[in-house]
Amino acid sequence: DSGVTQTPKHLITATGQRVTLRCSPRSGDLSVYWYQQSLDQGLQFLIQYYNGEERAKGNILERFSAQQFPDLHSELNLSSLELGDSALYFCASSVAPSGTDTQYFGPGTRLTVL
Amino acid sequence: GENVEQHPSTLSVQEGDSAVIKCTYSDSASNYFPWYKQELGKRPQLIIDIRSNVGEKKDQRLAVTLNKTAKHFSLHITETQPEDSAVYFCAASGAGFQKLVFGTGTRLLVSP
C-alpha cells in the first residue's frame, strides 16, 4: 500500500457524461500528479498540482480539468466523455514538486465509457 | 523536452535466467532515473531508482546501471521468478523538471 488513495475503483458511464475522480495523497505529500493509461499503453502525464497550485500540464484535453483543494486532495473532472476516454486513471503524490522526488502511485480508477 | 526510449517492448525468459531492460534519454540535465513495476490492472510500484551521482545500484536481485555519457540506463533482474512477470517502466527527470518522463514499458514474461 503506497498510502495514496483513489476513489472510485471502477466507474462505468455513457458517452457525453461527466465524471469526477478523487485522489488523496500520502500524508505529508504536497504534490499530486494525474496520469492516464489506456489499454496496453504507457503512462501519459496529464497534470500536476503542488500545494493547491497547478505546476505542470501534459497531454490533458480541454474537456478534462483538475484541482487540488486546501486539504491537498485532488479531483480530476472529465466531461463530454468519449469512448476513447476509457482508461485507467492514476494519481501519484510526492513531497515536493520536483521531478526528482519519488512518486508513489495510487491504485487507480478504471473508467469505462459505453 | 525530455524523451525516454525503452527496449525491448517484450521480453520472454526462462525462470532462473537474467533479464535486461534498457532505456535511453535525451536531456543531459536528467539526474533521477526510477524503475516501476506494474502488474496487470495494478498500480505502478517503484522497485529501484538511481541518481546521477552513482553509476550502479543493487537491491537483492535488481541492479540498475547508469551511463551519463551515453545517456542510457538499464535494469538487470537476476534469477528471475514467475512473479517477476509484469510490465516494467523506466523514467527520467531532473531537478528543474516538473514531471517524470516515462518510457513505453517492457512486458516481461518469466516461464517456469
Side-chain angles (χ1 to χ4, degrees):
Chain A
D1 185 0
S2 65
V4 180
T5 60
Q6 287 186 249
T7 56
K9 277 189 175 180
H10 302 278
L11 202 47
I12 301 174
T13 189
T15 54
Q17 295 299 305
R18 182 180 190 273
V19 297
T20 298
L21 313 184
R22 181 188 170 105
C23 168
S24 292
R26 293 188 323 153
S27 177
D29 285 358
L30 300 178
S31 195
V32 171
Y33 307 78
W34 286 97
Y35 293 88
Q36 179 192 55
Q37 187 176 41
S38 301
L39 189 63
D40 285 341
Q41 296 295 309
L43 292 154
Q44 298 296 317
F45 169 71
L46 296 177
I47 198 164
Q48 180 206 13
Y49 279 83
Y50 173 71
N51 205 20
E53 300 288 329
E54 180 185 305
R55 287 297 295 256
K57 259 187 174 178
N59 301 321
I60 188 166
L61 300 172
E62 286 193 9
R63 300 184 286 109
F64 295 0
S65 65
Q67 54 183 327
Q68 186 179 27
F69 294 86
D71 67 352
L72 300 176
H73 90 272
S74 178
E75 292 181 357
L76 179 67
N77 300 296
L78 315 177
S79 61
S80 302
L81 285 168
E82 302 175 358
L83 295 177
D85 297 328
S86 295
L88 262 173
Y89 291 84
F90 290 102
C91 80
S93 73
S94 65
V95 173
S98 169
T100 56
D101 284 325
T102 300
Q103 291 186 27
Y104 296 91
F105 282 77
T109 292
R110 182 174 295 281
L111 173 66
T112 302
V113 182
L114 301 176
Chain B
E2 175 66 282
N3 183 50
V4 176
E5 294 189 358
Q6 184 172 346
H7 300 280
S9 57
T10 307
L11 181 58
S12 294
V13 300
Q14 292 291 121
E15 183 177 1
D17 288 349
S18 293
V20 180
I21 303 170
K22 299 182 179 181
C23 291
T24 60
Y25 61 98
S26 60
D27 195 327
S28 57
S30 290
N31 60 2
Y32 174 58
F33 308 92
W35 287 88
Y36 285 83
K37 175 184 178 182
Q38 186 179 28
E39 297 176 2
L40 190 62
K42 301 287 182 63
R43 63 183 175 93
Q45 287 187 278
L46 178 71
I47 55 173
I48 194 168
D49 59 12
I50 190 169
R51 298 179 188 269
S52 62
N53 56 337
V54 296
E56 184 176 13
K57 181 177 179 180
K58 292 183 178 180
D59 183 0
Q60 300 183 336
R61 297 185 297 107
L62 303 178
V64 289
T65 59
L66 172 64
N67 183 327
K68 287 217 75 179
T69 302
K71 287 191 270 187
H72 67 71
F73 56 112
S74 301
L75 173 69
H76 301 249
I77 308 174
T78 59
E79 301 173 20
T80 54
Q81 302 166 3
E83 50 265 39
D84 294 329
S85 296
V87 178
Y88 292 79
F89 291 97
C90 63
S93 189
F97 297 10
Q98 305 288 358
K99 59 178 182 175
L100 284 174
V101 178
F102 284 87
T104 49
T106 295
R107 184 176 302 278
L108 174 65
L109 177 62
V110 182
S111 302

